[in-house]
Amino acid sequence: MPLVVQKYGGTSVGTAERIRAVAERVRRTRESGYEVVVVVSAMGDTTDRLVELARSVAPEPDRRDYDLLLSTGETQSTALLSMALKAIGCPSISLAGAQLGIKTDRVYSRARIMDIQPDRLKAELANGRCVIVPGFQGVTDEGDITTIGRGGSDTTAVALACALEAPKCEIYTDVDGVFTADPRIVPTARRLSSISYEEMLELAQMGARVMHPRAVELAELYSLLVEVRSSFNDHPGTLIDRGDAMESRKHVRGIAHDTNVAKVTLAGVPDCPGLAHALFAPLAEAGISVDVIVQAASIGGLAEISFTVSRADLNQAMQVVEKIAAETGASVAHGTASLAKISIVGTGLQSAPGYAARMFGTLAEHGINIDMITTSDIRITCVIEESAVEEAVQALHTTFELDKED
Ligand code: ASP
Ligand code: MG
């Protein structure tokens, strides 16, 4: 029998009614001739509530205790889904985090998966049961529960599908798949029937929230076929695979935006070897991830470096930068939080010139100022004012004709 790994996100299992609906879908999948492993997220905003609870009893909760607490959200939905399945006559078994065979390192809250020994899972599948497992967690060699980072259930599902050599992993969510842009902003946004791993990875990293970037990376590494689709209807979703180079090289495939952007600028600092290192090493030590970095050519021996961080990291990043400004005699250290990133993504950008000019031209026509620009082989990103982001997404969607069929 073919095996499928299905992952259901927080909204898909958000209420008892939703859990029963998911159970029906799992039963249908099994009855159509599949072995099914189901990975579930915590119900609704359970994880956020657990985070708040932890902070309300201790400002800096012990990391091991914290992961043990957070792991319970997924444990609840695992047990509930298995109960719902049995109640409709579908044989199932729920496993706890420690029974999955997922070994991680000891870096609590952002543990990496080191190894998977899915012997128990295989044995349960061989018994003819659906196996329901919690996402987002693993255990250390010592048997301590770890969590693998917020949004980690996608990664659990993909990792298990790879370890079990399943031909496909289905990611069930509350939207119909991957769209050319956020349909709440662009009513004419289209669902893409398929997209390549590299395009999906860029979109996910640049703010499209439909699938976690780490899970996309892992799927690409193992050439695992992934389908993102809705658990609320039976519409087809979006297939993520290697991509048809001939087709996908033609266009911009999608637009991603992210409003969780803050910018830090250090200006008037004497330009000398080691400056960038002096700035970014302490940021890395503080666990702050830096995104867009722009260093302007120095004028009169004075350099200017700007970079973006997530808004939650702005205050901490400013502390680091102000210290360096004081040490180096820089004239300006400045932070702003009201920015956004907007990106066009498509393997087509690689081979054809002119995309950047069209993007910048469209933003200019709308009077939108570009603050920073960065690119990859298949992406162009502009940092702009947050207040202009919706207009920018709509305008670029029209310019690149994303409302038209491929
Ligand atoms: N429940 C976890 C979170 O909210 C993991 C997940 O949903 O993927 O981050
Ligand atoms: Mg979640």
Side-chain angles (χ1 to χ4, degrees):
M1 255 199 283
L3 169 69
V4 64
V5 175
Q6 298 185 330
K7 179 259 170 177
Y8 293 90
T11 2
S12 294
V13 294
T15 60
E17 191 192 343
R18 288 298 314 153
I19 289 177
R20 288 198 302 272
V22 166
E24 280 299 342
R25 186 181 292 272
V26 173
R27 180 174 73 165
R28 267 191 281 141
T29 310
R30 180 172 182 273
E31 285 174 357
S32 59
Y34 286 90
E35 291 186 315
V36 196
V37 171
V38 183
V39 177
V40 285
S41 282
M43 293 172 72
D45 61 358
T46 302
T47 311
D48 291 332
R49 282 194 291 109
L50 293 172
V51 168
E52 263 170 46
L53 257 178
R55 297 254 151 80
S56 64
V57 295
E60 290 285 336
D62 174 82
R63 304 314 297 174
R64 182 178 172 282
D65 295 339
Y66 183 80
D67 277 21
L68 184 61
L69 176 72
L70 260 56
S71 73
T72 62
E74 271 69 13
T75 309
Q76 287 177 12
S77 33
T78 298
L80 287 166
L81 179 59
S82 184
M83 290 173 195
L85 279 163
K86 291 190 182 96
I88 56 171
C90 181
S92 79
I93 179 159
S94 56
L95 297 183
Q99 296 173 309
L100 302 181
I102 299 185
K103 281 273 154 61
T104 73
D105 61 20
R106 305 189 52 87
V107 185
Y108 290 107
S109 299
R110 41 192 174 94
R112 310 283 309 177
I113 297 174
M114 308 304 284
D115 183 39
I116 302 187
Q117 300 286 347
D119 303 345
R120 176 79 189 267
L121 253 93
K122 283 185 182 160
E124 298 298 349
L125 286 170
N127 282 335
R129 294 160 161 177
C130 296
V131 187
I132 319 302
V133 306
F136 172 59
Q137 57 201 281
V139 288
T140 64
D141 277 337
E142 293 76 25
D144 292 325
I145 289 273
T146 53
T147 63
I148 64 172
R150 294 302 306 270
S153 297
D154 287 348
T155 305
T156 306
V158 167
L160 283 177
C162 296
L164 292 164
E165 294 177 25
K168 191 178 176 199
C169 178
E170 296 174 345
I171 305 282
Y172 285 92
T173 175
D174 51 5
V175 290
D176 282 359
V178 181
F179 281 71
T180 50
D182 186 338
R184 283 168 304 187
I185 294 180
V186 185
T188 54
R190 273 184 314 111
R191 177 185 56 84
L192 295 162
S193 52
S194 70
I195 190 166
S196 69
Y197 297 117
E198 32 168 4
E199 289 168 329
M200 186 67 234
L201 185 58
E202 293 276 8
L203 286 172
Q205 281 168 337
M206 289 299 130
R209 263 163 291 274
V210 49
M211 194 175 163
H212 199 280
R214 190 166 151 197
V216 182
E217 245 179 327
L218 195 58
E220 176 172 22
L221 197 61
Y222 286 84
S223 296
L224 172 72
L225 177 65
V226 175
E227 183 176 7
V228 178
R229 52 186 302 189
S230 172
S231 72
F232 290 77
N233 59 48
D234 286 324
H235 302 168
T238 300
L239 289 174
I240 307 172
D241 58 16
R242 295 240 151 264
D244 177 348
M246 299 290 284
E247 280 295 305
S248 56
R249 277 183 196 286
K250 284 197 314 206
H251 300 296
V252 172
R253 300 304 307 288
I255 297 172
H257 72 279
D258 185 356
T259 50
N260 183 11
V261 180
K263 183 179 79 164
V264 176
T265 300
L266 183 67
V269 49
D271 192 12
C272 61
L275 171 63
H277 179 256
L279 185 57
F280 292 108
L283 289 166
E285 261 161 50
I288 297 172
S289 75
V290 171
D291 188 30
V292 181
I293 302 173
V294 172
Q295 176 170 2
S298 63
I299 299 170
L302 295 178
E304 179 182 319
I305 300 183
S306 293
F307 58 90
T308 62
V309 294
S310 71
R311 288 185 188 170
D313 287 339
L314 178 60
N315 283 343
Q316 220 190 336
M318 280 307 293
Q319 282 167 21
V320 171
V321 169
E322 272 157 10
K323 186 159 167 276
I324 304 226
E327 285 165 11
T328 56
S331 57
V332 184
H334 177 67
T336 39
S338 60
L339 298 172
K341 266 184 309 199
I342 178 154
S343 308
I344 59 169
V345 172
T347 40
L349 270 63
Q350 226 162 11
S351 44
Y355 286 102
R358 283 167 75 193
M359 181 175 191
F360 304 156
T362 302
L363 295 176
E365 271 163 34
H366 286 258
I368 297 168
N369 188 45
I370 303 171
D371 203 336
M372 300 163 96
I373 300 169
T374 81
T375 62
S376 81
D377 277 355
I378 64 163
R379 169 178 58 82
I380 303 168
T381 299
C382 295
V383 174
I384 60 175
E385 274 301 321
E386 183 190 0
S387 57
V389 77
E390 296 202 357
E391 186 180 347
V393 177
Q394 288 157 356
L396 291 170
H397 201 265
T398 306
T399 296
F400 294 105
E401 302 186 327
L402 292 179
D403 44 352
K404 301 214 174 83
E405 281 304 317
D406 280 332

